[in-house]
Amino acid sequence: MPDDADKQHKPKDKTVTIIVNGTQHVVEDKKVSFGELANLAYDGNPPTGENILITIKFSKGNSPQEGSLEPGHSVNVKDGMVFSVSATDKS
């Protein structure tokens, strides 16, 4: 049975500050998904439609340090990580 001393040594949940399209956002998870980033970039209302293509690039990450995020995937985040989210019309 854990005692109070054990509770003091457990890591506490911490928030992470990331930058999405130049705006700071605080997230509570160590991972963010493609969909979460699209929502952050477009204030919860990302563009939709059959010709809309959203691309997400990141830098200042852990491993990998930079790259692209594909729909349906997530990436581990760290403080100061930078995301560039853009939507284009394929028509």
Side-chain angles (χ1 to χ4, degrees), residues 71-90:
H73 290 89
S74 299
V75 66
N76 291 326
V77 294
K78 70 173 199 172
D79 277 322
M81 196 166 176
V82 177
F83 293 89
S84 175
V85 181
S86 60
T88 55
D89 189 337
K90 295 190 300 185

Side-chain angles (χ1 to χ4, degrees), residues 27-46:
V27 295
E28 295 183 11
D29 289 328
K30 293 181 181 181
K31 273 189 171 186
V32 293
S33 70
F34 183 95
E36 289 169 322
L37 288 164
N39 280 322
L40 288 173
Y42 293 100
D43 296 323
N45 191 24

